[in-house]
Structure formats: structure tokens, C-alpha cells
Amino acid sequence: MSEQAKTLGRPAAGENDATGIILLVLITIFWGINWPAIKLSVNEVPVWAFRSICLLAGAGGLFTIASAARLKLGIPRADLKPLAIAALGNITGWHLFSALGVTLMQPGRASILAFTMPLWAAPIAAIWLREKIDGLRLIGLGVGMLGLAVLVVPDWGNLSAHPWGPIFMLLAAIAWAFGTVALKTHRYQMPTTSLVAWQMLLGGIPIFLGAVLFDHEFDPSAVSGIGWGAVAYAALIPMIFCHWAWFRVVAIYPAVVAAIGTLAIPVVGIISSAMITGDAVGWDEILSLSLVVLALFLVLVAPQLRARRA
């Protein structure tokens, strides 16, 4: 078995759809719950310190998995520059902007804005990779923008006075989209698990420096048990388990099925935020979420379904 196959976790003999279904359900639940966990974390732990903890824990866990699987841990010279560029979007931009955004708005709403990432990836890929935007993706972009409008317009007065929460979340989504497209510009020689771990370390460098510069007076003893519990959850479950499980799902299922699975994550984010942090869920959140999920289906899933039929 190749290193890439081992990294992606190619299903062993006898592994069936039940394994993939269980993992997909766990990913959806754990990544969805991560939004209120981030909110509880950054209520007590400064953003730079919080994200540094998450990235160091995630990189350490993934390097441990790669080492246990006897995968190569080094970075081939040809991979270094494209890896650093991708990490700037996937790690530096995403982790910093999303944490800042959640401090300034409800985590359920933040999750909706975050998962507009594929809507921004389409035009970035069209410009950078010369990928064509077909009719379905164009309609999806329009539906997604309508979903954002439903979320923004009713609360325009408040957003005009306090706009930085949504701005940071949209910047996070755009940074994630940039990093995702950047990964497609190069054929990496290194195993995927090592690649993700190195992304966390390289992309985390500006965040680690920010923690030293801006959060050097942070007092860990002042954080409550609930706060540290939320930090531990965010640092360990989504950063390590969900990344590992995601590669297993991609190995078991076609990409179209894996893409469908991600559509439920903002739904769990809305529901778990209401349950954990007490955020109210109104008609605008429900309608916006529905439109964004429909847009993601049109951008991610429908073109692949059409291609499979053809």
C-alpha cells in the first residue's frame, strides 16, 4: 500500500459502508459542536493563545499518527513553497479570522458564514486555475449570496454599528477558499497526514508570534473548568480526530457523498449553539441556512452527480 493510501486510510478488506456512515455522522456532530466550543473558549482564553493551543495540539496529534503509520515526516523541497502559500489561507487566515469573528457574533450565525467557503472558491479557482463556472455553479453563487443577504439585511442596523463579526467570518471563509484552491496548484510528494500537520505548524507561525506579542499576560489559572474543557475539545476532537476521520470518509466514499456530508455541519452548528450557549434561532437564521445549504449542493454536489450520470 502506498504512503498516500495509508495516509488517506484506504478501507481494509471487509470495511463497509457502515464504517463510513458512522465516521461521517461523528464528523458532522463534532465539527458542528466545535462552533459553540470556540465561543466558550474565546470568552476566557485570548484568541492568539487559543488558536496556538489548537494548532500545536493538532499538529502534534497528526505527526503522532503519521509516525505510528511510518509515513515520511519531512517536507520535500519542491513542496515547501506551495505548502507555505496554502497554509497562509487554510491555517493563518482561517484560524485567526474565524476565532475573531466568533468573539463578535453568535457561533451559529458564524458557522453559516464560514461554510460559504465553496462559494468563494469557485471564482478564485476560475481566476487562478482557469476552471470554468458552469450554470449550476453560477446559480449556486447567486443562491448563496441571497442566503447571506437574508442573514445580513434584517440586522443591518446592528451590523452597521458592529460589522466586524461578519467581516471576520467572511474573511475566514475567503482565506479557507484561497488555501483550498492553492492546494490544487501543486502535486504534493508528501503524505497527506504529514502535509496537514506541516500546514498547521507553518501557518501557525504568525499566530504563535501573535500569542507571544499580544497574549503574554494571559493567566491560565483564571480560566474556568468549562473554559478549559471547551479549549480541550476544540484542540483535540476537531483538530485531530475529525481530520483523520475525514480522510477515512474520502477513502471509503466517492467525493460526491463526502461533500453531501459536509452540508449538515452548519445545521449542527446552529442547533448546538442554541443548546449550549442559548443563542436564539429565528426565521432569518433558518432561511439563510437553508439557502446556503442549497447553494453548497449546487456548487459541490450537483455538478458531480451530473458528471456521474454523463
Side-chain angles (χ1 to χ4, degrees), residues 182-224:
L183 283 175
K184 297 182 180 181
T185 65
H186 179 73
R187 187 175 183 87
Y188 290 92
Q189 302 173 33
M190 59 195 307
T192 305
T193 301
S194 301
L195 184 147
V196 176
W198 276 113
Q199 273 197 95
M200 291 181 182
L201 280 186
L202 293 178
I205 290 173
I207 298 176
F208 304 149
L209 292 175
V212 173
L213 292 174
F214 304 122
D215 293 344
H216 59 276
E217 296 182 355
F218 166 56
D219 181 10
S221 64
V223 180
S224 69

Side-chain angles (χ1 to χ4, degrees), residues 108-190:
R109 285 189 163 217
S111 70
I112 296 174
L113 296 179
F115 276 85
T116 62
M117 181 277 285
L119 307 182
W120 306 108
I124 293 174
I127 296 170
W128 196 349
L129 304 179
R130 306 293 183 184
E131 291 185 0
K132 293 183 178 180
I133 301 180
D134 57 19
L136 278 175
R137 287 189 169 92
L138 196 60
I139 294 172
L141 288 171
V143 173
M145 293 303 105
L146 181 59
L148 293 181
V150 168
L151 199 64
V152 168
V153 172
D155 198 30
W156 185 252
N158 183 50
L159 290 177
S160 298
H162 308 284
W164 285 108
I167 288 174
F168 280 136
M169 288 313 307
L170 289 176
L171 287 174
I174 293 170
W176 183 12
F178 170 85
T180 299
V181 175
L183 283 175
K184 297 182 180 181
T185 65
H186 179 73
R187 187 175 183 87
Y188 290 92
Q189 302 173 33
M190 59 195 307

Side-chain angles (χ1 to χ4, degrees), residues 244-259:
W244 172 84
W246 175 249
F247 295 135
R248 299 293 296 174
V249 168
V250 171
I252 294 170
Y253 287 129
V256 61
V257 177

